[in-house]
Amino acid sequence: MRIGELAAQAGTTTRTLRYYESRGLLPARRNGNGYRAYDEADLRLLRQIRTLQDFGFDLEQTRPFVECLQAGHPEGDSCPASLDVYRGRLAELDECLARLHEVRDRVAAQLARAELRVEAEHPGGPEPHCELSTNHAKTKES
């Protein structure tokens, strides 16, 4: 298949395919008339790259998976280098989640402190209204 067909089937652009080619991720084969020629294996390779990018992998992190496919493995993640990339990405995600949990805990603590202050300042009364509040503004207009 030609580059336009491959791009359409892979859900990407010809420009992206040329970029992958320049980075050595997509083989640059030419047929007799000089057009780039691709096959189903190239489509599978592109789908692997797209899936990994959807998971947040950068383009360079996809290289071991591409090389694994090109080496003839039916799945791009069955090689040791691919597994190492998975492990590294999982460690990055775990670290990110830990940071998010820490921030969430700090925001929750700040909210609790703010609610205590509001209750102390207005015991049993209604919550204070902001002048910019849409409900308050509608009340003033009525």
Side-chain angles (χ1 to χ4, degrees):
M1 76 184 84
R2 291 179 48 187
I3 193 168
E5 296 170 81
L6 180 64
Q9 287 189 33
T12 191
T13 65
T14 57
R15 182 178 179 182
T16 298
L17 298 183
R18 286 187 201 99
Y19 179 69
Y20 290 172
E21 182 183 311
S22 75
R23 298 290 307 267
L25 294 169
L26 185 63
R29 293 182 308 275
R30 303 276 179 166
N31 57 23
N33 60 7
Y35 291 122
R36 288 175 174 89
Y38 302 98
D39 58 22
E40 290 299 316
D42 297 315
L43 181 58
R44 196 170 88 223
L45 185 144
L46 288 171
R47 287 183 174 148
Q48 177 82 61
I49 292 171
R50 297 284 308 246
T51 298
L52 292 168
Q53 288 185 313
D54 287 346
F55 290 160
F57 289 74
D58 64 37
L59 193 56
E60 195 55 36
Q61 288 174 314
T62 69
R63 187 172 301 279
F65 298 88
V66 168
E67 291 170 351
C68 191
L69 285 171
Q70 290 172 334
H73 297 275
E75 300 293 328
D77 60 2
S78 59
C79 296
S82 302
L83 297 173
D84 287 343
V85 173
Y86 272 151
R87 288 181 191 104
R89 182 69 179 135
L90 195 56
E92 290 171 5
L93 291 170
D94 287 341
E95 186 179 313
C96 184
L97 286 171
R99 285 193 313 265
L100 285 172
H101 283 293
E102 181 182 314
V103 169
R104 187 210 179 281
D105 290 347
R106 290 181 11 214
V107 169
Q110 189 64 29
L111 171 62
R113 285 190 293 274
E115 288 174 334
L116 287 173
R117 273 195 316 274
V118 168
E119 180 60 32
E121 293 170 6
H122 306 282
E127 292 186 22
H129 290 281
C130 175
E131 290 296 320
L132 300 178
S133 165
T134 55
N135 290 339
H136 187 68
K138 288 179 184 175
T139 306
K140 286 179 87 172
E141 292 173 2
S142 302

